[in-house]
Amino acid sequence: MKVLKFGGSSVANAENIQKVIDIILSQKDNHAIAVVVSAMGGVTDRLLKIASLAASADDTYKTELEELEQKHLTAVRSLLPIQQQSATLSLVKQHCNELESICDGVYLLKELSLRTQDKIVSFGELLSSRIIAAKLESLGVQQQWVDSRDLIVTNSNHSNAAVDFAITNERISTWFKANPSTYYLIPGFIAANLAGHTTTLGRGGSDYTGSIYAAALGVSALEIWTDVSGMMTADPRLVTNAKPIEHISYQEAMELSHFGAKIIYPPTILPVMLKKIPVWIKNTFEPTAKGTLIESHTEGANDFIRGISSITGISLLSLEGSGMVGIPGFSKRLFEALANEQVNVILITQSSSEHSICVGINEADTLKAKRVVDYAFSYEIQTGKVDPLVVETNLTIVALVGEQMKSHPGVSGKMFGSLGRNGINIRAIAQGSSEKNISAVIATKDVKKAINVLHEVFFETSYKQLNVFIAGAGNVGSKLLAQIQQQQLFLQNQLNLQVRVVGIANSKKALLADQGILLDEWQSLLASASVSGIDEFVAQIQEKNLRNSVFVDVTANEGVAKVYGRLLEKSISVVACNKIACSSAYDEYQQLKSLAREYNALFLFETNVGAGLPVIGTLNDLLRSGDKVNKIKAVLSGTLNYVFNHYDGSKPFAEVVRQAQTEGYTEPDPRLDLGGTDVMRKIMILAREAGQQMEMEQIENRYFLPQSCFEGSVEHFYTEMAKQEPHFKALFDKASAEGAKLKFVATYENGRASVGLEHILPSSDFYHLYGKDNLVLFYTDRYPEQPLVIKGAGAGADVTASGVFADIIRVARI
Ligand code: ADP
Ligand code: ASP
Ligand code: MG
């Protein structure tokens, strides 16, 4: 014999019931088949609502009842041929009348006991099983309807009754022997106590019913037919990429279900496990899908982590105090106090100092638990040996399950490391010594993110997802978005990296799309997006709480630079081409670096110096590998290089500058470049990265622009430069007379930095530096005479965007 159990969604309406019938009748082998069914989807919830409406004297329960009756009558009418409907229609009506009388009683008394509630909800399974039985009969299939209330005997713990297996097994086998049949139809969920009062087995309990019959009858298999294609690596409602688990052991399945995998009701496994009956989880809506096989051994399976599950609605209770150290019996008293009040303990951890015990319980029991524990320890609390119980709520347990994890070191490191990198704070940890499960308690608001992070780390062979938020949609931003779009497929195929741009903001608007912005259309989407400032953008990024988030600043805006701290604190990495943060006061720069360290995020700004050239990365590598920087000499302004490469006195200096601006090689205010400020910032950033505490005021600037050029507007600056043409001409002539070129050079040596115009002779590395190129010379212990040279285009939106892009990829690879 086999037992097939069909859940609420499988029997939710006539169409689905037809699928169930097809599955039952397509069973090829000559087994007898016992079919256990749940109530039609949603009916149990509805019956509970009706009961509570009636109990609170709200007469809308009548309309609800009416609708419920119609739902079942409609199913009968759609399933059975007209000539055969009447008996079942009247049976449904009869059940509904009885149900109504009970509800009327509750309404009049304004009282609802759990016993009455069990009676009320039992109609869900009674009705569905009767209707399906009638459908089989209408097809000429003989069946025996089984009243579970006669066979499954429980205690009187209504709504969550415990089964008396000795009597139950006896009754089931006797009854089945006395009533031979090929098909049986059995209502799930319901049972009765010895006095014959209806009881129920707990929400989701039809799975358990299936298992009880399977074990009592010693069947060859239990099949649980539901609405997903098997037990999955995680709840598919939380993780879109969850995959069906082909093969899993009883213990693992039990562990996953105990830790919240709703697919199977936790007590279900034990009876079938004891009898070694294999359990299949199958999909009613995709019967050919393989599903999951649960049995004793899972040899040959490679995944040492089998699944991830979670239980929300958890409170943590912490009992702490110096009076607990070394004195036996404290934990016993704690657990006794909780047990006496029927508070179920879900998770326990105790620090090895014995200074504190921490237990996780259902949130619903919190007040009761606090009261009883404080009472049990009132003497110790009064005498200061123990603190009053500390309670934290709104928590969730996330559990990683797999029998083979004991032979794989580093699982917990990987688990906690990846949660930590994503800013998920872990409140408590428990690992059973059997090592089938590692659990962490986290804030409920983080659960979706946490499960996705863990799923990605332990199961995702296809890709890791990076969620990118970009501030700035100007020159560099547009190029960056184009590069990301062009490279997306390559990254997915070659690096297993899915780069999703989830947010784009300019100075006025912010566009956000959880599933990723369509990069073909980002301009028009952003144009029609809602108005938002940077603070709102940041608030939305934090609220989305997506895993592997990175914030990219491609603006030159001070307000944007100010938000990095708030993001790093949430473990969101920051990639900036904006130089403002790194060139602000040393303390602020340091603060950001230490926040990044503290919260396991990256703060990367390679493009602050030399655009896309690998300057900062190289410097970091030198230092990390033990080299010492003695001197840096660099031409760091693509703009100034461009200007002095194009100026030979034949065309006015002011015009050359304007041309540089038109071609996009200057800051919006070109005086930042011409006055040397931009170069000062860059050499300061290099000095700081080399370990030097340095501020802008400490840098010597040998200005070559006359002071008058700095006064007034940008236009005035151009007029003033034109007036000063002889000054520029003289600078040029003096250098030419020596056979030298003019270059604006930054120097860092002995802890001091300076910038200024220098005469560069043909023997210098800087002499052959054309266009907007930058050149950086690192003189170090390892490169004492011949410096390490980095040379190439040091300005331009394309190269800057590619440097930013490279930083983004660096974030993905931590
Ligand atoms: P039924 O009504 O058939 O008993 P349930 O709703 O009780 O079905 O259980 C099936 C649901 O369990 C799925 O639709 C899915 O949303 C949820 N679920 C939670 N965790 C898992 C998991 N690890 N694997 C599969 N489904 C899961
Ligand atoms: N109908 C019951 C419930 O909804 C039992 C079940 O479906 O397993 O909880
Ligand atoms: Mg279920």
Side-chain angles (χ1 to χ4, degrees), residues 275-305:
K275 287 280 182 76
K276 294 197 169 46
I277 296 168
V279 182
W280 284 93
I281 314 269
K282 301 278 286 177
N283 189 348
T284 304
F285 307 96
E286 215 188 319
T288 52
K290 198 151 183 217
T292 299
L293 170 61
I294 309 176
E295 58 176 1
S296 310
H297 51 85
T298 57
E299 282 133 45
N302 320 320
D303 300 331
F304 58 97
I305 303 295

Side-chain angles (χ1 to χ4, degrees), residues 472-487:
N475 261 345
V476 178
S478 315
K479 295 278 187 216
L480 175 64
L481 284 160
Q483 290 177 9
I484 294 178
Q485 184 182 15
Q486 190 217 322
Q487 206 59 4

Side-chain angles (χ1 to χ4, degrees), residues 1-5 27 29-36 169 172-173 176 181-182 184 186 207-224 250 268-269 271-280 293-295:
M1 192 187 296
K2 273 206 301 192
V3 174
L4 271 59
K5 178 261 166 177
Q27 300 295 314
D29 28 21
N30 292 330
H31 288 305
I33 290 173
V35 178
V36 175
N169 288 344
I172 292 178
S173 57
F176 274 74
S181 174
T182 312
Y184 296 93
I186 309 174
D207 297 335
Y208 194 24
T209 308
S211 168
I212 294 167
Y213 281 100
L217 296 166
V219 301
S220 60
L222 166 64
E223 295 182 1
I224 296 192
Y250 293 119
T268 306
I269 303 288
V272 276
M273 180 174 99
L274 296 175
K275 287 280 182 76
K276 294 197 169 46
I277 296 168
V279 182
W280 284 93
L293 170 61
I294 309 176
E295 58 176 1

Side-chain angles (χ1 to χ4, degrees), residues 88-306:
T88 314
L89 288 176
S90 61
L91 187 87
V92 169
K93 283 183 187 152
Q94 197 185 320
H95 275 344
C96 289
N97 286 344
E98 194 188 338
L99 172 61
E100 192 178 0
S101 312
I102 300 168
C103 293
D104 291 344
V106 170
Y107 177 76
L108 289 174
L109 291 170
K110 295 193 191 56
E111 189 207 58
L112 176 67
S113 67
L114 285 178
R115 175 171 148 188
T116 309
Q117 184 181 288
D118 268 353
K119 182 82 189 159
I120 291 174
V121 290
S122 71
F123 284 93
E125 269 72 7
L126 289 175
L127 286 165
S128 65
S129 60
R130 286 291 193 187
I131 293 172
I132 296 166
K135 172 70 190 174
L136 278 177
E137 295 279 346
S138 77
L139 296 170
V141 179
Q142 295 284 309
Q143 59 79 45
Q144 275 282 355
W145 185 82
V146 183
D147 193 340
S148 297
R149 294 168 299 184
D150 294 338
L151 303 187
I152 301 180
V153 179
T154 67
N155 66 6
S156 303
N157 186 19
H158 284 281
S159 84
N160 202 0
V163 176
D164 182 329
F165 277 96
I167 309 180
T168 301
N169 288 344
E170 171 63 32
R171 284 198 188 178
I172 292 178
S173 57
T174 314
W175 192 90
F176 274 74
K177 270 188 206 123
N179 296 279
S181 174
T182 312
Y183 294 97
Y184 296 93
L185 243 141
I186 309 174
F189 186 47
I190 60 174
N193 62 13
L194 274 174
H197 299 141
T198 302
T199 57
T200 57
L201 302 176
R203 293 306 306 271
S206 295
D207 297 335
Y208 194 24
T209 308
S211 168
I212 294 167
Y213 281 100
L217 296 166
V219 301
S220 60
L222 166 64
E223 295 182 1
I224 296 192
W225 290 81
T226 180
D227 56 2
V228 282
S229 296
M231 198 152 194
M232 309 254 191
T233 47
D235 185 342
R237 285 165 303 186
L238 294 176
V239 177
T240 30
N241 258 349
K243 303 170 193 5
I245 306 168
E246 276 193 20
H247 205 177
I248 185 169
S249 72
Y250 293 119
Q251 262 88 4
E252 289 168 325
M254 194 143 49
E255 207 82 2
L256 274 175
S257 69
H258 271 294
F259 280 87
K262 191 199 165 207
I263 178 94
I264 198 159
Y265 182 53
T268 306
I269 303 288
L270 195 64
V272 276
M273 180 174 99
L274 296 175
K275 287 280 182 76
K276 294 197 169 46
I277 296 168
V279 182
W280 284 93
I281 314 269
K282 301 278 286 177
N283 189 348
T284 304
F285 307 96
E286 215 188 319
T288 52
K290 198 151 183 217
T292 299
L293 170 61
I294 309 176
E295 58 176 1
S296 310
H297 51 85
T298 57
E299 282 133 45
N302 320 320
D303 300 331
F304 58 97
I305 303 295
R306 201 65 79 197

Side-chain angles (χ1 to χ4, degrees), residues 569-589:
E569 265 170 17
K570 296 276 182 227
S571 302
I572 297 169
S573 291
V574 174
V575 168
C577 84
N578 183 350
K579 287 188 263 304
I580 294 175
C582 286
S583 55
S584 59
Y586 183 80
D587 283 351
E588 287 175 31
Y589 154 88

Side-chain angles (χ1 to χ4, degrees), residues 591-603:
Q591 160 85 356
L592 293 175
K593 293 217 125 193
S594 51
L595 279 178
R597 255 194 308 275
E598 187 178 344
Y599 291 96
N600 283 306
L602 289 183
F603 173 37

Side-chain angles (χ1 to χ4, degrees), residues 785-800:
E785 258 91 57
Q786 288 303 317
L788 177 81
V789 181
I790 297 168
K791 182 179 172 187
D798 242 327
V799 284
T800 307

